[in-house]
């Protein structure tokens, strides 16, 4: 019985992550981070990426986990459409950092289409209020669209990986339509 109660509590906590603190219209913190694209080390700068257009910053809990693998594949499949709309995509995680290089290159996941940044200790995720309530050292599944001026255009927080691409794509297209 006790085990069932604990499992129910954990499932509830995972189903309802904290709402993203950075609301549309707020300034997004710039960050730089080391990471990988197509298995090769990169340094990512949000300030530099914003010079090219809007940036989709999607936080995910951990490389090589079922939901994160699916989300990475969905973002990889949509990368060309994001680029066609002037947007850059970056994945950021605090979990399973030792697997990030392979994850970035795997054709079933990122396919080398976009960079994934390592966030040891969830320092970047904390600035974006994107940490898991049940595991604060890991990123939550929260996606942001950041304008070239650094304004948050969208904050979407949902542990399910299914709608992050459609939500961020809609925000990128709305931004483009209004420019």
């Amino acid at each position: 019985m006790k085990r069932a109660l604990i499992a129910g509590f954990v499932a509830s906590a995972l189903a309802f992550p904290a709402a993203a603190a950075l609301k549309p219209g707020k300034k997004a913190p710039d960050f730089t981070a080391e990471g990988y694209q197509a298995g090769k080390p990169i340094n990512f700068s949000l300030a530099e990426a914003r010079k090219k257009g809007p940036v989709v910053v999607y936080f995910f809990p951990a490389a090589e986990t079922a939901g994160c693998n699916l989300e990475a594949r969905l973002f990889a499949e949509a990368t060309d459409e994001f680029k066609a709309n002037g947007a850059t995509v970056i994945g950021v995680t605090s979990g399973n950092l030792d697997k990030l290089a392979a994850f970035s290159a795997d054709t079933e996941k990122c396919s080398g289409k976009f960079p994934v940044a390592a966030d040891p200790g969830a320092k970047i995720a904390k600035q974006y209020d994107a940490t898991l309530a049940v595991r604060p050292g890991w990123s939550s599944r929260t996606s942001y669209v950041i304008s070239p001026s650094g304004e948050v255009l969208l904050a979407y927080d949902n542990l399910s990986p299914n709608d992050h691409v459609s939500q961020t794509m809609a925000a990128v297209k709305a931004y483009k339509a209004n420019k």
Side-chain angles (χ1 to χ4, degrees):
M1 179 68 165
K2 188 175 184 181
R3 187 173 283 165
L5 287 173
I6 291 170
F9 171 75
V10 170
S12 295
L14 288 173
F16 302 105
L22 297 182
K23 303 294 181 204
K26 297 292 183 188
K27 182 78 170 162
D30 277 327
F31 65 88
T32 57
E34 294 179 355
Y36 298 92
Q37 184 164 2
K40 295 180 177 21
I42 57 104
N43 286 308
F44 180 85
S45 163
L46 179 59
E48 287 300 311
R50 288 191 297 104
K51 291 178 183 177
K52 300 173 197 165
V55 180
V56 175
V57 179
Y58 89 90
F59 290 91
F60 61 99
E64 301 297 348
T65 58
C68 298
N69 293 350
L70 172 61
E71 186 177 30
R73 183 174 50 81
L74 294 172
F75 270 108
E77 290 171 354
T79 299
D80 291 340
E81 188 175 357
F82 278 112
K83 286 180 183 176
N85 283 283
T88 300
V89 173
I90 174 84
V92 180
T93 189
S94 304
N96 294 344
L97 300 181
D98 58 325
K99 298 178 181 182
L100 209 51
F103 180 78
S104 75
D106 191 317
T107 57
E108 295 296 315
K109 292 141 190 153
C110 302
S111 298
K113 297 267 191 166
F114 59 90
V116 287
D119 184 18
K123 292 178 184 119
I124 299 166
K126 288 174 187 168
Q127 291 178 26
Y128 280 78
D129 195 23
T131 58
L132 277 175
V134 296
R135 194 162 186 177
W138 277 25
S139 321
S140 64
R141 191 175 318 282
T142 305
S143 296
Y144 289 95
V145 177
I146 312 299
S147 76
S149 66
E151 175 187 349
V152 174
L153 300 174
L154 171 81
Y156 181 71
D157 185 44
N158 191 328
L159 199 55
S160 170
N162 297 326
D163 294 326
H164 286 263
V165 169
S166 63
Q167 293 289 321
T168 55
M169 185 68 75
V172 165
K173 287 180 175 180
Y175 174 80
K176 182 179 177 183
N178 290 320
K179 283 294 158 195

